[in-house]
Amino acid sequence: MAIELTRVEEFALITLNRPEALNALSFALIADLGRAFDEVAGSDARALLITGAGTKAFCAGADIKELIGRPLTAQKQGAEMGQAVFAKLDKLPMPSVAIINGYAFGGGLELALACTFRIATKNAKMGLPEIKLGLIPGYGGTQRLPRVIGEARALEMIMTGRTVDAEEAARSGLVNRLIDGEAVAQGVAFAREFSGYSLPVLGFAREAVKRALDNPVHEGLRIEADLSTLAFQTADAAEGMDAFSNKRKPQFKDK
Ligand code: CO8
């Protein structure tokens, strides 16, 4: 397998494992990812962390060598297959964190964009360079990047194909923060900032924010009212408010 799915304490960890090709996304690797996302979805992991093997790259994008000379129908099916696999990641019941430990180009950045959060080492470099190959992104980049950094910045990255360094990525909101030290340990520390909260309630928060970007504000406010009422109905909400009143630490049970 070109990926490894392991456990780091309460978290699932996927490591893209083709360092000789800078962890490029072969179609076989994408299929492995799909199976791994299904396994993580059914597990008790509090979050999923994704990183790249080796010291150079998170992921250098789609495997360019596999794309050359493909018939159009196969190319379209390939894009749809990649999009469907990344949609599984986007819809996991637990949050996900891309730990960008080097290059994240093309499909590699698109994979990171399908995660809930992105953190990056200070040497990380990111971009959607497809235009330099005569292509455009096909695994969700044209849709998710503008939702993360806005239309103008997304168009600039996609139409110039330029590389963004870690500092710029943090300034533009492309990554949530920069990390120092052992990358997976930093990912664990980042995930612990939210992973003790109620998973279903975290899910309502993710859903409400995602829907904000697809709906006019009056619709979004209605969705927020519905989802915040659903959160209020959970046993975890009762526990959280009771713990506050009694000045004790809440014990959330994901119910
Ligand atoms: N695909 C296949 N092999 C790759 C890729 C890739 N994306 N990136 C790197 N490799 C391979 C290299 O060919 C090389 O292998 P070999 O030693 O056998 O020649 C090895 O990895 C190391 O790479 P480099 O020697 O190039 O390493 P450098 O440190 O000099 O450069 C870079 C690193 C800058 C990351 C450089 O490798 C690079 O520019 N890579 C390509 C980045 C890119 O253009 N990515 C976008 C790909 S297109 C895409 O992701 C979406 C397409 C649309 C999707 C729809 C599909 C159906």
Side-chain angles (χ1 to χ4, degrees):
M1 286 237 288
I3 64 167
E4 279 175 16
L5 172 58
T6 53
R7 184 90 179 194
V8 184
E9 300 178 41
E10 69 270 42
F11 304 112
L13 172 68
I14 290 179
T15 307
L16 308 178
N17 195 16
R18 293 183 72 206
E20 69 287 356
L22 303 184
N23 304 318
L25 300 170
S26 62
F27 290 113
L29 189 152
I30 294 175
D32 286 346
L33 278 177
R35 285 185 286 273
F37 294 150
D38 289 339
E39 195 174 329
V40 173
S43 78
D44 64 352
R46 307 294 305 172
L48 168 64
L49 312 176
I50 304 182
T51 195
T55 52
K56 269 183 87 170
F58 172 74
C59 172
D63 190 316
I64 298 168
K65 293 164 193 170
E66 279 187 355
L67 297 181
I68 297 166
R70 272 157 63 84
L72 281 185
T73 47
Q75 183 64 7
K76 180 134 188 287
Q77 282 163 3
E80 287 168 351
M81 192 270 258
Q83 288 178 0
V85 167
F86 289 10
K88 287 186 186 201
L89 170 59
D90 204 351
K91 292 187 167 58
L92 283 179
M94 63 287 284
S96 52
V97 182
I99 305 169
I100 303 176
N101 58 328
Y103 299 123
F105 287 127
L109 183 57
E110 293 173 293
L111 175 67
L113 284 165
C115 290
T116 318
F117 300 110
R118 286 153 294 287
I119 59 177
T121 56
K122 291 189 173 155
N123 69 338
K125 295 204 184 319
M126 285 153 257
L128 292 177
E130 286 89 341
I131 203 77
K132 297 178 184 171
L133 301 167
L135 297 171
I136 71 166
Y139 293 150
T142 65
Q143 303 305 301
R144 291 198 176 93
L145 186 63
R147 285 169 162 80
V148 172
I149 63 171
E151 180 187 332
R153 285 190 174 112
L155 275 173
E156 187 196 324
M157 279 182 70
I158 291 167
M159 293 177 67
T160 65
R162 82 177 169 85
T163 298
V164 167
D165 66 20
E167 296 285 345
E168 182 180 351
R171 273 200 310 278
S172 69
L174 179 54
V175 301
N176 292 83
R177 70 179 69 157
L178 302 186
I179 51 173
D180 257 332
E182 209 278 307
V184 171
Q186 295 298 314
V188 166
F190 179 81
R192 290 231 168 99
E193 292 182 29
F194 54 79
S195 62
Y197 299 127
S198 167
L199 270 187
V201 177
L202 286 168
F204 295 142
R206 280 164 66 202
E207 173 77 11
V209 172
K210 293 247 168 217
R211 303 284 288 275
L213 300 165
D214 298 329
N215 286 284
V217 71
H218 63 276
E219 269 299 309
L221 289 171
R222 193 183 56 72
I223 291 163
E224 182 188 78
D226 289 347
L227 288 168
S228 68
T229 306
L230 277 178
F232 185 78
Q233 288 174 303
T234 61
D236 285 335
E239 165 66 7
M241 291 184 279
D242 183 72
F244 175 79
S245 309
N246 291 298
K247 300 190 187 307
R248 63 177 175 82
K249 200 172 176 307
Q251 300 288 322
F252 294 121
K253 297 203 161 61
D254 298 335
K255 288 183 177 151

